[in-house]
Amino acid sequence: MTGKGYIVVTYRKITSQDKWAAYAKLAAPAIQKAGGKFIVRGNPSKVYELGMKERVVIVEFDNVHKALAAHDTPDYQAALKALDDGAERDFRIVEGLS
């Protein structure tokens, strides 16, 4: 049995609030439609080591395959197109512990 799947996004910088807002408007419903549950969405309360005090998003899925599929949906790809170069971020899909 596999563990849950997670999308983990850490932002380095939002370079265009307008593009980021357009992305957010499309991305949240696309991720939810694909079975994702937002468990973290906001700025850190405190950072340590090399952490950056920028937006963090963590989305939980039933498994890693659903997280991968969510990224590749036409709805989420439209959100990425809207974001374009509006943010610098690190986007990872990881499998949780079983």
Side-chain angles (χ1 to χ4, degrees):
M1 181 169 172
T2 62
K4 294 196 180 257
Y6 295 88
I7 290 176
V8 180
V9 182
T10 56
Y11 284 75
R12 292 182 186 95
K13 172 171 47 170
I14 295 174
T15 55
S16 169
Q17 287 295 324
D18 291 340
K19 288 180 179 181
W20 179 81
Y23 162 80
K25 184 176 180 181
L26 297 171
I31 291 295
Q32 290 170 325
K33 180 179 173 184
K37 175 185 171 190
F38 287 90
I39 57 175
V40 173
R41 191 162 51 177
N43 290 326
S45 300
K46 177 78 174 162
V47 297
Y48 295 94
E49 299 176 28
L50 297 177
M52 298 178 69
K53 198 157 185 158
E54 293 292 339
R55 187 168 182 78
V56 177
V57 177
I58 300 175
V59 184
E60 182 180 73
F61 290 85
D62 289 341
N63 57 58
V64 74
H65 304 291
K66 288 185 178 183
L68 291 165
H71 178 272
D72 296 339
T73 63
D75 289 344
Y76 188 73
Q77 291 301 305
L80 287 176
K81 187 174 181 179
L83 180 61
D84 190 30
D85 62 352
E88 294 175 14
R89 62 196 197 136
D90 181 348
F91 187 109
R92 299 174 189 215
I93 296 176
V94 297
E95 187 171 356
L97 301 174
S98 306

